Amino acid sequence: LRQYVTFLEGFDVQRILLEEERNEKDDCVSVPCRAAGVECNAITGGTVQIRARKELILCAGAILSPALLMVSGIGPQDILSNQGISLPRNITAPPPGWNAVGKGLTDHVVLPRAFLTLPRKWRSKSVSGIQSWDNATCTDEQSLYQLTITDGMCSTQLIPHFVAAFLRRCASEMPSNERQNRYQAWNGIVDASWAITFRIVRFILQLLLVWTPLGLIAKHCTATINISLLNPVSKGCVTIHRRIKCSSSPARLEEFNIVVDPCYLRAARDMKAIERGWQLSEMVRAKHFASCLEILPNFVYPLAKRFSDFFYFGTRQKDWIFQFASDFSCPYFHW
C-alpha cells in the first residue's frame, strides 16, 4: 500500500479549504465551491496547507467528519450562524443537503447486568471485553437484539465505563436553560468539573479493578449479561460549540468543542426492544445466575439513582427499567 499512498504523520487537520473552480478556457466560475485541500497544525509547530491535485476524500469518522464540515462552513445554517461561521465564498444559499450534516447519527446500544458469582471455570477466557462464551440473537417484530454472557474480563472494562458515564450523563443531559437557571455564570465551571469527575471516577475504578484484590474478584467471580440492540431507530446528532472567542480569521476546529448527542433509546420502539431483551435476560439469569448476587443494576444502580434524584431535586419520575436504560445505555463494540 505504501508504494501507492503517502502517509503524513504529525498533522492535525483544522479545516477544509474551499475554493471556487474556474474554467481555464474562458476563466469563468464552473464550480462555486470545491474542496481544494486541508489546513493543518503541524506537530513541529506552525500551520500547513496541503492541497489536492484532483479531489479530497474526507474520512475522519462519524464524529470528526461532520465537525470538520461545519467548521469549514458546510452544515445547517442555524448552527453555523450561531457559532459565527460564515458560508463559503460565492455561496449565498446553502444547498438543502447541507442541513443533514451532523444528523442521523446511529449507534448500537448495550445495557449490562453484572453478577457476583462463585469462582468458576469458564469455557474460554475473554481476551477483550468484546468476546463472550455464549450469545443469542433474537428478532421481535422489527427489532434485532442480542443477549451475550461474558466472563469477568468484560466486567473490568464495563463497570468503570458505565458507572462513570452515568455521572457525566447526569450533567450533560440536563437542558441548557435549566443549567443556566441553576448555575448562571458558574455553569461553565460546573460542566468542566463534571468532565474532570468523569475521568477521575473512571480512573479510580479501573485502578481498583486492575491493581487491587478487587481485580481478581472481577476477573474470576463476576459475569455479565449484555443486552444489545443491534438495529436502533433512534437518531443522534453531532454539533459544535465555540469555546474560543470568534476572530476575523477563518474558523478552525481547535476553537470548538464537539458536542455529541447519541439519543440512545429516544424512540419508543428501541425502548420496547430493550425491555423485551430484559425480559429474556431474566430467563438467562434464572438458569445460570439464580443464586448469584446481581451487582448492576440491583446494587450499584440504587446508589446512583439516589444521587441522580438528589442532583435533579427529585424531578425524575420514570419506571425504573426505563430510567436505568436511559442512564446506563452505552455504545456496543467501541467504548
Side-chain angles (χ1 to χ4, degrees):
L1 180 62
R2 290 186 176 273
Q3 60 180 325
Y4 301 106
V5 180
T6 301
F7 293 92
L8 302 178
E9 298 180 356
F11 294 94
D12 189 12
V13 177
Q14 294 298 311
R15 67 184 181 98
I16 302 170
L17 301 175
L18 301 173
E19 300 175 355
E20 63 182 24
E21 184 176 340
R22 308 185 71 86
N23 194 320
E24 296 181 358
K25 294 182 178 179
D26 52 12
D27 197 32
C28 295
V29 177
S30 58
V31 179
C33 181
R34 176 181 177 272
V38 293
E39 184 175 284
C40 312
N41 286 342
I43 195 173
T44 55
T47 302
V48 178
Q49 289 189 354
I50 303 175
R51 296 188 170 269
R53 284 180 291 183
K54 291 186 178 181
E55 62 181 356
L56 179 71
I57 301 175
L58 178 61
C59 52
I63 307 301
L64 281 179
S65 291
L68 280 170
L69 287 173
M70 286 185 279
V71 166
S72 306
I74 300 176
Q77 185 60 34
D78 56 341
I79 296 178
L80 300 184
S81 59
N82 289 338
Q83 302 304 321
I85 301 174
S86 57
L87 290 171
R89 191 171 55 181
N90 297 331
I91 298 292
T92 56
W98 286 18
N99 289 325
V101 174
K103 299 178 181 178
L105 180 65
T106 306
D107 201 356
H108 303 92
V109 179
V110 60
L111 193 64
R113 298 187 68 176
F115 299 88
L116 185 64
T117 68
L118 294 175
R120 59 190 300 175
K121 180 177 177 59
W122 298 91
R123 299 182 193 175
S124 60
K125 276 289 180 182
S126 297
V127 177
S128 67
I130 304 300
Q131 295 178 337
S132 63
W133 63 266
D134 200 4
N135 67 79
T137 302
C138 312
T139 58
D140 190 351
E141 297 178 358
Q142 296 176 325
S143 299
L144 178 66
Y145 46 94
Q146 183 182 68
L147 297 181
T148 307
I149 302 177
T150 59
D151 59 34
M153 292 295 289
C154 188
S155 299
T156 60
Q157 300 291 329
L158 282 174
I159 293 176
H161 177 82
F162 283 105
V163 174
F166 171 81
L167 297 178
R168 183 177 62 176
R169 198 165 296 166
C170 283
S172 64
E173 288 191 349
M174 185 185 295
S176 57
N177 59 345
E178 188 176 347
R179 277 204 305 267
Q180 184 69 24
N181 293 336
R182 289 192 185 183
Y183 304 116
Q184 298 179 359
W186 297 99
N187 65 329
I189 299 176
V190 172
D191 288 343
S193 301
W194 274 109
I196 296 172
T197 301
F198 165 75
R199 292 180 174 87
I200 292 175
V201 170
R202 182 170 180 175
F203 173 78
I204 292 174
L205 288 171
Q206 287 180 328
L207 191 67
L208 291 174
L209 292 173
V210 174
W211 299 106
T212 70
L214 288 177
L216 296 175
I217 297 175
K219 288 181 180 180
H220 301 287
C221 302
T222 61
T224 306
I225 302 176
N226 298 309
I227 307 163
S228 308
L229 181 59
L230 303 182
N231 63 339
V233 296
S234 303
K235 303 294 182 182
C237 63
V238 178
T239 58
I240 54 176
H241 181 74
R242 185 178 288 276
R243 60 183 180 86
I244 298 179
K245 188 176 180 180
C246 182
S247 61
S248 57
S249 59
R252 294 164 57 83
L253 187 61
E254 62 185 1
E255 301 173 0
F256 296 84
N257 288 325
I258 301 176
V259 181
V260 181
D261 183 3
C263 290
Y264 292 141
L265 307 177
R266 298 285 176 86
R269 189 187 107 179
D270 291 346
M271 189 63 83
K272 289 180 180 178
I274 284 292
E275 188 176 18
R276 288 193 294 268
W278 188 276
Q279 292 170 355
L280 288 178
S281 73
E282 279 292 306
M283 293 188 293
V284 177
R285 182 194 64 81
K287 181 178 179 180
H288 295 283
F289 308 109
S291 60
C292 301
L293 174 65
E294 186 169 1
I295 307 171
L296 186 68
N298 282 359
F299 176 70
V300 175
Y301 182 68
L303 299 178
K305 178 70 166 58
R306 218 172 275 145
F307 172 84
S308 174
D309 290 339
F310 174 79
F311 186 80
Y312 282 93
F313 295 96
T315 58
R316 283 184 159 189
Q317 300 294 333
K318 293 183 181 179
D319 183 74
W320 80 269
I321 179 62
F322 289 91
Q323 185 65 66
F324 176 70
S326 300
D327 290 334
F328 279 86
S329 56
C330 280
Y332 190 30
F333 300 125
H334 44 262
W335 55 80

